Amino acid sequence: MTMDLFEQLPPKLWVEPLCEGAVVLRRFASAPATDLLVGIEQVAEQAPFRQMQTPGGHTMSVAMTCCGPWGWVTDAKGYRYQQNDPLSGELWPSMPASFQALAAEAAGMAGYGSFEPDSCLVNRYSPGAKMGLHQDKNEEDFDQPIVSVSLGTPVSFQFGGLRRGDRPQRVPLEHGDVVVWGGPARLRYHGVLTLKHAEHPLTGSNRYNLTFRRARS
Ligand code: MD3
Ligand code: FE
């Protein structure tokens, strides 16, 4: 009797393979979400969110900041990692221990044994913000996976192929979802569709994404 009831309870966490090398750990970051959001606030006190310029001269709709030894930046000179925040000249804030631990745990679940990210990009989407299809290829070692954590309002993620023209599939990403991308999925094109108006009790109308990467071997 109790077993029947147990089996009817909705699962708190579940795993959805997307393709070879990519897996969604649904709600994996739900329990630590408030800690992660406090971590984001602390990072942003030292290195405020800013809308960076693309090399083509456009202003990104996504506001970004970074933590960890290497921060990802873009400006007229191009896309790259650097150790100093261009706004202050100071080193990026250190990566909160809770961020590191979650990223390593998620990578482990996906079969990547000793993931030690040296970079965490924090993206903040407000309604209307989006990110066009692109590849993440500013890192030295494509054998290292990428871990992405979604917090706040839901969005439709675009997951394409190895060529820009490959038709992307749409993957809904919600608060607490963690995606691990590695192996044959590591260089696939991806992007984020325009964020719609919605409210989340912890983030208001915003969506945050933490992207953990190993920038340097
Ligand atoms: C698929 N950010 O900052 S991370 C980015 O939601 C970025 O803010 C998105 O793409 C966001 O570069 C999504 C998910 C992601 C990251 C790397 C990938 C998906 C990937 C590498 C290969 C394939
Ligand atoms: Fe990306």
Side-chain angles (χ1 to χ4, degrees):
M1 180 53 172
T2 50
M3 279 310 287
D4 292 341
L5 288 169
F6 177 74
E7 282 167 17
Q8 287 168 31
L9 289 173
K12 256 190 9 187
L13 305 171
W14 63 102
V15 178
E16 280 178 28
L18 276 183
C19 67
E20 204 186 321
V23 67
V24 192
L25 309 175
R26 294 287 183 192
R27 313 302 185 259
F28 191 72
S30 294
T34 49
D35 291 342
L36 296 173
L37 289 164
V38 169
I40 291 171
E41 270 185 31
Q42 289 167 345
V43 166
E45 280 168 21
Q46 285 178 253
F49 282 100
R50 81 291 306 264
Q51 288 174 264
M52 296 193 235
Q53 298 291 123
T54 67
H58 296 281
T59 302
M60 295 190 77
S61 58
V62 180
M64 300 176 162
T65 185
C66 301
C67 60
W70 292 94
W72 185 87
V73 300
T74 172
D75 60 20
K77 290 179 277 183
Y79 305 120
R80 64 190 176 278
Y81 285 93
Q82 63 176 53
Q83 291 177 291
N84 300 86
D85 177 350
L87 281 186
S88 66
E90 304 283 331
L91 295 178
W92 294 103
S94 58
M95 204 185 299
S98 58
F99 285 28
Q100 285 262 3
L102 182 82
E105 207 188 331
M109 295 261 310
Y112 299 96
S114 50
F115 181 51
E116 291 184 35
D118 59 6
S119 174
C120 174
L121 174 66
V122 186
N123 292 331
R124 185 184 68 199
Y125 296 76
S126 52
K130 61 184 161 61
M131 189 178 288
L133 273 187
H134 66 278
Q135 292 173 299
D136 288 18
K137 55 179 183 187
N138 298 129
E139 301 75 29
E140 280 182 1
D141 180 5
F142 299 144
D143 290 338
Q144 293 280 339
I146 293 177
V147 173
S148 140
V149 178
S150 292
L151 298 169
T153 65
V155 81
S156 188
F157 180 74
Q158 289 185 296
F159 187 41
L162 293 175
R163 287 171 305 195
R164 181 179 291 281
D166 295 339
R167 177 186 296 277
Q169 60 181 107
R170 287 184 184 186
V171 181
L173 290 180
E174 292 186 33
H175 180 74
D177 291 348
V178 177
V179 193
V180 183
W181 322 85
R186 176 63 178 76
L187 287 173
R188 284 175 70 154
Y189 278 87
H190 58 278
V192 176
L193 293 182
T194 306
L195 192 76
K196 295 182 174 165
H197 285 271
E199 288 291 325
H200 188 280
L202 298 179
T203 68
S205 58
N206 293 324
R207 170 182 185 259
Y208 294 89
N209 182 267
L210 303 174
T211 303
F212 294 94
R213 307 191 186 97
R214 184 85 198 176
R216 300 292 150 105
S217 308

